[in-house]
Amino acid sequence: MDANLKKLLDTCRTSIVDGKQNPENDWKLFTVSNITKDGLPNSRYVVLRDANFTEKAEITFYTDSRSGKFEEFQKSPHASLCFFDRHVGLQLVMNASVSLYNQDKTAEDYWQKTPWRSLQCYYMKEKPGETLKTPFVLNPNELSEDQAYQFFTVVKCTIHSWDILLLTKTGNERASCEFNSHGEFKKAAWIAP
Ligand SMILES: Cc1cc2nc3c(=O)[nH]c(=O)nc-3n(C[C@H](O)[C@H](O)[C@H](O)COP(=O)(O)O)c2cc1C
């Protein structure tokens, strides 16, 4: 593989893994797009909770099992993830298959190791998207930990490919690559932006 291409792929891999623990990293937040039950696209921001690009290519975020995307992913387990580092001018789009973990060992492990401030949104008796008479105010005492935990869902995205766009003054660079089942790069190439 071309040395500069390898360097770009390695930079993306290092940065995405750093993003899971570094709130200053722009890749801590990303958009997830999927297809709704009406067959239309829908996107929203989520927080990067885990990233593994050594033994497998996998991105993890959390969601509420009552949110629209939970049922949508059950019906159509495919997603496009989009990250943008505005400091470097680097966009990374990932094509993924989605698996949901709710009230199982995986969900329990993440629940236990996640700080309360990141879990308090699950202590909400209202269903996400429900119509309210007044603006929402979180009252976490309304639900017990067991009740909140029921809604907590770990979403694991198995990454199949990357599409990278690096903005440069001399003409933007674009590259693509696929992953094998061990999370290794395969079929990497420069492509036209
Ligand atoms: C900065 C930011 C971070 C967010 N993080 C998450 C998240 O990690 N998980 C999540 O389900 N929703 C998160 N949300 C809310 C979603 O963007 C979305 O509004 C919500 O999940 C409902 O989506 P849905 O109705 O399409 O399922 C976040 C929103 C913002 C603005």
Side-chain angles (χ1 to χ4, degrees):
M1 189 192 303
D2 175 279
N4 287 332
L5 178 55
K6 170 100 175 50
K7 196 171 155 198
L8 180 61
L9 297 180
D10 286 340
T11 300
C12 289
R13 181 161 52 188
T14 306
S15 185
I16 202 80
V17 172
D18 174 70
K20 71 181 177 188
Q21 73 241 342
N22 180 3
E24 302 302 316
N25 184 326
D26 278 356
W27 288 0
K28 181 72 188 163
L29 285 178
F30 62 101
T31 60
V32 178
S33 304
N34 73 314
I35 298 297
T36 67
K37 53 180 186 274
D38 303 321
L40 299 170
N42 193 20
S43 304
R44 80 286 286 163
Y45 272 104
V46 294
V47 178
L48 176 66
R49 298 295 180 182
D50 216 345
N52 185 341
F53 281 92
T54 44
E55 295 139 14
K56 52 193 166 180
E58 190 178 81
I59 292 287
T60 302
F61 68 94
Y62 303 156
T63 201
D64 190 310
S65 61
R66 299 167 294 177
S67 71
K69 65 181 115 26
F70 182 91
E71 206 182 326
E72 289 160 8
F73 281 138
Q74 283 181 319
K75 288 195 178 134
S76 177
H78 309 288
S80 174
L81 320 183
C82 186
F83 299 77
F84 182 62
D85 183 334
R86 71 204 144 102
H87 302 102
V88 185
L90 185 57
Q91 172 180 265
L92 176 55
V93 179
M94 306 189 191
N95 176 268
S97 298
V98 170
S99 305
L100 303 170
Y101 299 86
N102 179 264
Q103 299 181 81
D104 60 8
K105 177 81 174 77
T106 301
E108 195 185 330
D109 288 349
Y110 278 97
W111 179 267
Q112 294 301 341
K113 69 180 179 190
T114 303
W116 152 253
R117 66 177 183 280
S118 301
L119 297 176
Q120 59 176 330
C121 55
Y122 300 96
Y123 287 74
M124 170 174 86
K125 69 174 178 8
E126 295 82 357
K127 181 177 177 290
E130 183 181 321
T131 303
L132 304 175
K133 290 205 171 83
T134 52
F136 176 71
V137 178
L138 180 65
N139 184 357
N141 297 326
E142 286 177 337
L143 294 189
S144 66
E145 180 174 0
D146 284 352
Q147 288 172 313
Y149 172 67
Q150 280 178 43
F151 305 130
F152 175 73
T153 303
V154 176
V155 185
K156 289 203 167 276
C157 304
T158 299
I159 307 303
H160 303 302
S161 63
W162 279 357
D163 185 326
I164 305 164
L165 181 69
L166 176 63
L167 305 179
T168 67
K169 290 192 177 118
T170 52
N172 303 330
E173 292 174 6
R174 187 173 173 195
S176 66
C177 75
E178 293 178 13
F179 289 90
N180 66 18
S181 56
H182 304 293
E184 292 158 352
F185 298 126
K186 65 167 192 181
K187 285 198 194 165
W190 292 111
I191 53 178

